[in-house]
Amino acid sequence: MSVPVAIPRRQTEIESIGPISGFDVEKLRAEFPILRERIHGRPLVYLDNAATSQKPDAVIDAISNYYRHTNANIHRGVHLLSQRATEEYEAARAAIQVFLNAADPREIVFVRGATEAINLVAQSYGRTHVRSGDEVLITAMEHHSNIVPWQLLCEEKGAALRVAPINDAGELIVEEFDKLLGPRVKIVALAHVSNALGTINPIREIVRKAHAFGIPVLIDGAQAAPHLPIDVEDLDCDFYAFSAHKVYGPTGIGVLYGKAALLEAMPPYQGGGDMISSVTFEKTLYNKIPHKFEAGTPDIAGVIGLGAAIAWVSNLGIRSIGAHEHALLEYATRVVGAIPGVRLIGTARQKAGALSFLLEDIHPHDIGTILDQEGIAVRTGHHCAQPVMERYNIPATVRASFAAYNTLEEIDALARGLKKVREVLG
Amino acid sequence: MADLRDMYQEVILEHAKSPRNYRTLAAPARKAEGFNPLCGDRCTIFLAMQGDVIADIAFQGNGCAISRASASMLTQSLKGKTKAEAEKIFNNFHRMVTGQSPNGDRASLGKLEVFAGVSEFPARVKCATLAWHTFEAALHGDQEPVTTE
Ligand SMILES: Cc1ncc(COP(=O)(O)O)c(C=O)c1O
């Protein structure tokens, strides 16, 4: 079967969108060495950025230079290298404070990623405050890493996990969320942006409503940090989590922002070196925040790489990046959405970064393999959001997700790839 | 470069579209479930034994073209076989899709040879073997669901 695919006339379409002023994609692509890789003999079209983004020279060099010129343990040596390493590590913390607009660098805790950040809050804050009969409130669009840590907590404490529903477009039904707020809810945790649907949640409004009941709010910002400006002061959220590797930084490192007063009152998450101020066998005094939550030698190179990634993003401007990606998403929605047999999953009014879809009844896994042969990397599967798949009664989707270095031409390549899928499997 | 047509053979696509023995078998037939947690594929195999012989076999579930076709053709090729014959086919099939079998070995596989191309696509081997691992579990009466991870 070969049905003509309605690809809008490329030239005119692309021109009508036009470049974002001052945003030079070709120049920026040259900073990402991996974009020169060939995949099955074709240029790489990397559209799996929601899983992890690629890394610019600035980040790769920062990590390499750290190991070449600075490597030493931090917070403990009198020698020069240790001082340098400590300074660079703490400078990254300060850069992240600015990136999130946090009031105080002590509110920035380095963790392994969004997953560990959420587990830290569930184990430390959650185990202190959640009791039998209490509730934890999340939404139906959460990633498994913002579900399972709360399930573990609820199971241990005899508390209940409550889930605010979403509508067919993939938007949180705010009235239903409101109804679930109440005195039994001890914490609200939700995504800023959904990884499976691309939905942007109205988190500022949610925080305000939860605070009216005195309930703290954790925001899972894993999919927001790469695309949207974040201002934790303005949002007034209590915790904010994200992973470096989705924001052009290395794997294995991430950030938990927490309000200083909350972090100070919370018990440590793990014990070890660096998180103490004095240890005897009778009694241990914990270090001040944020060090109380950074037990053991941290991923120093990772933190420095994250610092370089944040500097790279800030240099381009997160708003310009977001505007460019928004143009990509709108174009992709139009071009892919116009292909006969395509069903978009997640059509919220406010979206960022990702386009999830199905093509006829072809399984996403098969689509992924055929696109891969064309050099196009997309994610296929349930995206660690099985409850979202169940909500739509589908086993999986294909997800194309965008970064600063993607181009409109790459979206045309995706559309051509989908045409090929229909030729092979239709 | 691996050719897509090596994997997506006509026979495979045809089975994926209209799978054979896609039904349930009532108790006392044996039943086992398999999952591929990576992509969410599921497969349930039903097995009615008469002594040592597979008297009837059926499957249900959802998954990609490769996993559906594999399950469908598994039911066709194992019906009427003894336990020992089935184990042998399973081993040969597994070696073929993981690229470990010399060509000569494949003759015993008959129609199942169409899956040879899967070995060129390492990411898809688990799709082709899910039904087979699930079948093994049914044969041995395992209670725990099978997972490919
Ligand atoms: C919305 C969301 N939350 C949390 C995570 C977990 O991030 P990590 O695996 O980096 O800890 C992801 C990653 O896919 C995500 O998309």
Side-chain angles (χ1 to χ4, degrees):
Chain A
M1 188 164 68
S2 90
V3 180
V5 175
I7 299 177
R9 282 215 33 238
R10 201 178 63 83
Q11 227 50 42
T12 47
E13 274 274 353
I14 290 178
E15 274 160 21
S16 75
I17 293 168
I20 309 287
S21 67
F23 200 84
D24 186 345
V25 183
E26 284 314 315
K27 179 161 164 280
L28 176 160
R29 287 179 70 82
E31 297 179 44
F32 288 79
I34 209 168
L35 297 180
R36 298 193 279 277
E37 287 295 302
R38 293 185 78 80
I39 304 298
H40 304 300
R42 292 165 193 269
L44 167 64
V45 174
Y46 188 77
L47 299 176
D48 194 16
N49 295 285
T52 196
S53 66
Q54 299 302 346
K55 324 301 176 198
D57 285 324
V59 169
I60 299 168
D61 292 347
I63 294 166
S64 159
N65 285 336
Y66 165 74
Y67 280 123
R68 283 171 194 283
H69 303 295
T70 314
N71 180 53
N73 214 326
I74 54 167
H75 297 145
R76 51 191 87 179
V78 293
H79 60 80
L80 181 63
L81 284 185
S82 174
Q83 287 168 28
R84 270 192 206 154
T86 306
E87 272 163 28
E88 286 188 28
Y89 184 88
E90 292 303 330
R93 195 190 307 277
I96 286 151
Q97 179 203 343
V98 173
F99 182 67
L100 296 179
N101 194 36
D104 187 330
R106 297 180 308 141
E107 297 180 316
I108 307 300
V109 178
F110 290 120
V111 290
R112 279 196 299 132
T115 302
E116 192 176 48
I118 298 165
N119 277 281
L120 189 161
V121 175
Q123 289 299 307
S124 172
Y125 183 89
R127 289 178 79 196
T128 311
H129 291 92
V130 175
R131 302 212 154 72
S132 173
D134 285 343
E135 294 174 355
V136 172
L137 177 55
I138 63 172
T139 82
M141 70 176 89
E142 299 310 314
H143 187 278
H144 294 165
S145 63
N146 201 25
I147 302 174
V148 183
W150 305 114
Q151 275 174 335
L152 289 169
L153 172 69
C154 288
E155 212 165 277
E156 179 189 323
K157 295 293 180 179
L161 188 66
R162 297 274 180 252
V163 183
I166 58 177
N167 63 24
D168 289 340
E171 296 163 323
L172 180 65
I173 306 172
V174 177
E175 307 81 66
E176 296 296 323
F177 175 88
D178 292 350
K179 286 187 207 152
L180 290 166
L181 285 173
R184 280 205 293 269
V185 179
K186 289 298 175 296
I187 187 159
V188 168
L190 81 163
H192 192 167
V193 173
S194 149
N195 70 311
L197 301 166
T199 310
I200 304 177
N201 277 318
I203 52 170
R204 195 161 176 271
E205 176 190 348
I206 298 248
V207 169
R208 192 170 45 75
K209 286 176 168 167
H211 282 181
F213 287 85
I215 307 165
V217 180
L218 174 141
I219 306 293
D220 170 2
Q223 295 295 343
H227 310 299
L228 305 176
I230 300 159
D231 183 337
V232 291
E233 284 286 288
D234 177 61
L235 291 170
D236 198 27
C237 59
D238 301 275
F239 301 102
Y240 196 100
F242 75 93
S243 295
H245 70 93
K246 296 184 200 280
V247 201
Y248 311 102
T251 53
I253 195 73
V255 169
L256 172 67
Y257 158 84
K259 283 183 177 165
L262 286 170
L263 291 179
E264 265 159 6
M266 281 157 56
Y269 172 51
Q270 293 178 334
D274 237 23
M275 55 77 69
I276 46 82
S277 61
S278 98
V279 177
T280 65
F281 287 116
E282 287 69 44
K283 183 163 177 59
T284 290
L285 292 175
Y286 303 128
N287 203 338
K288 296 189 176 62
I289 63 166
H291 309 293
K292 181 170 80 179
F293 293 106
E294 294 178 2
T297 301
D299 181 356
I300 305 168
V303 166
I304 288 167
L306 168 58
I310 296 303
W312 187 86
V313 166
S314 306
N315 193 32
L316 266 177
I318 186 75
R319 280 173 207 282
S320 313
I321 294 174
H324 172 71
E325 289 162 342
H326 193 70
L328 293 172
L329 179 59
E330 290 216 314
Y331 184 63
T333 305
R334 214 146 19 101
V335 171
V336 173
I339 297 173
V342 162
R343 175 182 164 204
L344 300 180
I345 304 294
T347 48
R349 280 155 293 180
Q350 300 289 326
K351 282 183 66 174
L355 188 70
S356 251
F357 60 92
L358 294 170
L359 177 56
E360 291 167 356
D361 58 355
I362 304 174
H363 196 280
H365 218 159
D366 295 311
I367 297 174
T369 293
I370 293 169
L371 293 178
D372 178 56
Q373 291 294 303
E374 302 292 308
I376 303 166
V378 294
R379 175 82 184 266
T380 64
H382 53 55
H383 317 295
C384 295
Q386 275 179 324
V388 173
M389 300 298 119
E390 257 159 53
R391 166 69 176 73
Y392 288 93
N393 200 16
I394 53 178
T397 74
V398 181
R399 181 187 67 190
S401 55
F402 310 112
Y405 42 71
N406 288 125
T407 65
L408 298 167
E409 286 78 6
E410 289 181 309
I411 289 161
D412 288 339
L414 172 65
R416 282 195 302 276
L418 292 170
K419 190 176 168 206
K420 176 86 184 279
V421 170
R422 296 178 56 133
E423 282 166 17
V424 176
L425 296 181
Chain B
M1 186 177 126
D3 188 342
L4 284 168
R5 289 283 173 201
D6 287 347
M7 179 160 71
Y8 291 113
Q9 307 241 356
E10 285 303 326
V11 181
I12 290 181
L13 294 179
E14 196 271 320
H15 271 267
K17 280 223 169 71
S18 352
R20 317 297 197 274
N21 299 309
Y22 189 84
R23 57 196 161 88
T24 60
L25 298 183
R30 300 179 192 183
K31 176 179 156 186
E33 287 183 65
F35 297 96
N36 183 339
L38 263 183
C39 53
D41 287 359
R42 290 157 193 268
C43 175
T44 307
I45 296 275
F46 301 87
L47 195 57
M49 300 296 291
Q50 229 161 47
D52 201 35
V53 175
I54 298 167
D56 201 1
I57 179 165
F59 86 102
Q60 293 230 294
N62 61 50
C64 61
I66 302 301
S67 74
R68 266 205 316 273
S70 171
S72 169
M73 293 181 71
L74 170 150
T75 60
Q76 277 194 323
S77 61
L78 295 187
K79 196 164 168 178
K81 295 283 190 295
T82 65
K83 214 171 147 175
E85 286 165 340
E87 297 271 17
K88 186 155 178 268
I89 295 173
F90 169 73
N91 284 332
N92 284 342
F93 182 84
H94 197 268
R95 282 216 303 279
M96 176 179 73
V97 295
T98 51
Q100 298 172 50
S101 64
N103 286 343
D105 236 30
R106 293 183 189 165
S108 67
L109 286 171
K111 279 189 196 167
L112 292 172
E113 217 189 322
V114 293
F115 287 98
V118 172
S119 67
E120 304 280 319
F121 295 81
R124 306 303 299 277
V125 169
K126 283 174 181 166
C127 308
T129 56
L130 176 64
W132 290 86
H133 288 296
T134 310
F135 161 73
E136 276 282 293
L139 196 61
H140 297 130
D142 295 351
Q143 296 303 316
E144 284 286 300
V146 177
T147 98
T148 54
E149 290 308 295

